[in-house]
Amino acid sequence: MIVTISTTHQPTSDFTYLLHKHPDRFQTKDISFGKAHVFYPAFSEKEATMALLLDINAVDLSRRTQQNYAQSFQLDHYVNTRPYVSSSFLSTALSKVLGSALNGTCKDRPEIVHKALPLVVRLDTLSAKGGEAQIRRLFEPLGYELQLTPLPLDEQFPEWGLSTFYSLELKNTLPLQQLLQHLFVLLPVLDNNKHYFVNESEIEKLLSKGENWLDTHPEKEYITKRYLKYKKSYYQKALTELNPEESASIKNAEKEKLPSLHDQRHEMVADELKTRGIKSVIDLGCGSGKLLRHLIKMPQLEKIGGLEVSFRELEATKKRIYYENMSPKSQERLQLFQGALTYKDERIQSYEAGVLVEVIEHLDPSRLEALETVVFEYGNLSTIIITTPNREYNVLFENLPQDKFRHPDHRFEWTRKEFQDWGNTLAQKFDYEVDYQAIGEEHPLHGGPSQVAIFTKNAKPQAKQNK
Ligand code: SAH
């Protein structure tokens, strides 16, 4: 993974002083997950380019990750995109290798720290599940000119289509410190796959690196939530610090009704659909319509479905969303149907994304395979989001006996490893890429109370007609 920063500012020595890196020296620094090399592929009186080459050791990384789980061999621990993609690893490397520049210290030429320089950044591989729009909405408000090139899944097989990776060139005239701060915060936000446990100190990190720009960014809420991994108490604290007056009113409103874990699941799902620019989604096992209530408020969704096995729950959904009072157009946009997820159902196929919030654990394990076939094979969905409780967290529920599940209708509850083993097998079998996240306040040992798997179909299916 390589990133370069270039400037035509003269004298070019200003740039090297700011970076605290001598143009003639090739420097290598050991970091916990590999090596960072810094050098100048180009340096003259007229222009300078600094390169940071990050050599991540996937095997070491895997060993470290596996300490959190029971020891087991999984190929994707060793062969994955982590070494090649700009992510939180790059942010960590930037702070370790270019710490002085990132913190705005330059003893020899303090006057240039705040000087705007013409800068160009090139990132060879950037992961953005939300596509071009997601990258633009993060960088354009900060004045960057972007050149984005989507990368094919495999250069040798163009018919497989494009991946969710991009190469990116960013151009702007600004102080170097600010540019590094932007990269430090926004790269992990795009990638959404932090390599370390997010604890409270991340709030301070975000606020210090976001100083002078994050509070006025139109996407500050989105950036803050993703940077802090949707941990409600953390992002609320950060947003309050960023904008005390605005947050006071939010806080008062929230005092009246604290958002439950279940609300957090729905909020997370809605945000993910928004990020990905999804236009049609079906809520599979929609229950009494708690998620649908959020979805119908999202203008980007042209078509919404709710499928549920229980007639009574469907009636409750209709009441909750005032279905009978909706205009015919709104009723047409939202289709509710009774159906079982264990039987092939063609109606699912006309949606881009499918969501199962706390549904799988209600099925007998022997029926899971049928659900997998219906959703993953016949569903033809480009995005599938599945949430389920994390059993490891149950020890933290004081009133829950050890041998009991959280709900009497739950047929099983999985640990993080069990869920990820299941998800990885499905991803491989049905050709999806999968990411996992915790939902709710995470415990350092037991993880979050709930967990989510987000599946992205590898070869993009044809755009669906929203009939
Ligand atoms: N997703 C909802 C409800 C979760 S409760 C929410 O987030 O609030 C689980 C729901 O899955 C119940 O409403 C149950 O009726 C439904 N369900 C269970 N098995 C199902 C199946 N085989 N097909 C469709 N729905 C099912």
Side-chain angles (χ1 to χ4, degrees), residues 262 266 285-287 290 307-310 313 339-342 357-359 362-363:
H262 206 43
H266 295 147
C286 65
K290 288 183 185 144
L307 183 143
E308 170 57 54
V309 75
S310 149
E313 291 291 297
L341 284 165
T342 40
V357 178
E358 309 292 290
V359 173
H362 290 268
L363 270 86

Side-chain angles (χ1 to χ4, degrees), residues 125-230:
T125 314
L126 191 67
S127 152
K129 299 274 162 49
E132 216 178 302
Q134 187 196 7
I135 305 176
R136 290 193 184 278
R137 69 191 249 236
L138 293 182
F139 284 102
E140 279 180 346
L142 297 166
Y144 288 92
E145 214 177 286
L146 276 74
Q147 217 176 323
L148 273 161
T149 316
L151 302 174
L153 263 182
D154 191 318
E155 280 168 1
Q156 296 191 15
F157 300 94
E159 65 277 16
W160 289 0
L162 297 172
S163 67
T164 53
F165 299 102
Y166 294 81
S167 76
L168 170 67
E169 187 184 286
L170 291 166
K171 254 192 213 164
N172 203 354
T173 302
L174 76 175
L176 178 67
Q177 180 194 10
Q178 235 176 50
L179 172 113
L180 294 173
Q181 289 180 334
H182 295 159
L183 295 179
F184 182 90
V185 172
L186 298 180
L187 293 178
V189 166
L190 276 171
D191 181 54
N192 207 20
N193 197 349
K194 275 209 177 130
H195 67 277
Y196 51 84
F197 178 71
V198 172
N199 60 25
E200 209 164 349
S201 68
E202 291 291 293
I203 303 176
E204 196 38 52
K205 235 193 251 174
L206 173 70
L207 293 174
S208 73
K209 301 296 184 288
E211 207 180 351
N212 297 330
W213 62 272
L214 186 56
D215 57 339
T216 52
H217 196 297
E219 297 291 351
K220 72 173 173 215
E221 204 174 310
Y222 172 76
I223 295 169
T224 305
K225 281 185 185 171
R226 277 174 78 103
Y227 190 89
L228 297 169
K229 291 272 208 175
Y230 290 93

Side-chain angles (χ1 to χ4, degrees), residues 65-133:
T65 328
Q66 284 191 43
Q67 284 167 5
N68 296 329
Y69 300 105
Q71 296 291 315
S72 72
F73 176 81
Q74 276 185 12
L75 187 61
D76 81 329
H77 282 156
Y78 296 91
V79 184
N80 56 48
T81 59
R82 296 292 88 198
Y84 314 107
V85 173
S86 307
S87 64
S88 58
F89 287 110
L90 180 57
S91 289
T92 305
L94 284 175
S95 71
K96 296 267 188 261
V97 182
L98 305 176
S100 312
L102 181 62
N103 295 322
T105 37
C106 186
K107 258 202 332 264
D108 297 317
R109 300 194 186 171
E111 71 285 0
I112 52 172
V113 168
H114 301 293
K115 197 174 165 118
L117 315 177
L119 296 168
V120 180
V121 179
R122 290 188 188 87
L123 288 155
D124 59 348
T125 314
L126 191 67
S127 152
K129 299 274 162 49
E132 216 178 302

Side-chain angles (χ1 to χ4, degrees), residues 263-286:
D263 283 341
Q264 290 183 51
R265 291 183 182 113
H266 295 147
E267 196 180 319
M268 189 261 147
V269 167
D271 270 357
E272 195 61 37
L273 297 172
K274 186 173 164 203
T275 299
R276 288 165 180 249
I278 300 285
K279 292 203 166 57
S280 60
V281 60
I282 180 158
D283 186 5
L284 299 165
C286 65

Side-chain angles (χ1 to χ4, degrees), residues 211-355:
E211 207 180 351
N212 297 330
W213 62 272
L214 186 56
D215 57 339
T216 52
H217 196 297
E219 297 291 351
K220 72 173 173 215
E221 204 174 310
Y222 172 76
I223 295 169
T224 305
K225 281 185 185 171
R226 277 174 78 103
Y227 190 89
L228 297 169
K229 291 272 208 175
Y230 290 93
K231 290 189 168 185
K232 196 129 207 160
S233 62
Y234 291 2
Y235 71 66
Q236 276 179 344
K237 197 164 164 190
L239 286 169
T240 311
E241 300 258 337
L242 275 173
N243 209 330
E245 287 141 43
E246 204 178 287
S247 318
S249 58
I250 300 174
K251 237 181 163 176
N252 286 340
E254 287 191 346
K255 247 187 213 155
E256 288 160 25
K257 188 177 173 290
L258 278 176
S260 65
L261 172 63
H262 206 43
D263 283 341
Q264 290 183 51
R265 291 183 182 113
H266 295 147
E267 196 180 319
M268 189 261 147
V269 167
D271 270 357
E272 195 61 37
L273 297 172
K274 186 173 164 203
T275 299
R276 288 165 180 249
I278 300 285
K279 292 203 166 57
S280 60
V281 60
I282 180 158
D283 186 5
L284 299 165
C286 65
S288 60
K290 288 183 185 144
L291 174 64
L292 290 173
R293 186 187 46 183
H294 291 281
L295 299 182
I296 54 177
K297 290 187 201 139
M298 288 170 62
Q300 80 179 48
L301 294 173
E302 292 165 6
K303 181 172 150 163
I304 303 165
L307 183 143
E308 170 57 54
V309 75
S310 149
F311 180 74
R312 212 163 51 96
E313 291 291 297
L314 274 179
E315 287 301 302
T317 296
K318 284 187 180 165
K319 261 199 199 146
R320 186 188 295 279
I321 59 175
Y322 302 103
Y323 184 80
E324 303 302 341
N325 299 341
M326 281 180 170
S327 67
K329 214 170 141 200
S330 304
Q331 285 187 350
E332 200 189 309
R333 173 176 174 243
L334 170 69
Q335 297 185 0
L336 297 173
F337 20 79
Q338 197 174 6
L341 284 165
T342 40
Y343 294 92
K344 189 176 156 188
D345 194 329
E346 278 178 2
R347 294 172 294 191
I348 300 177
Q349 293 175 353
S350 63
Y351 295 87
E352 229 180 302
V355 174

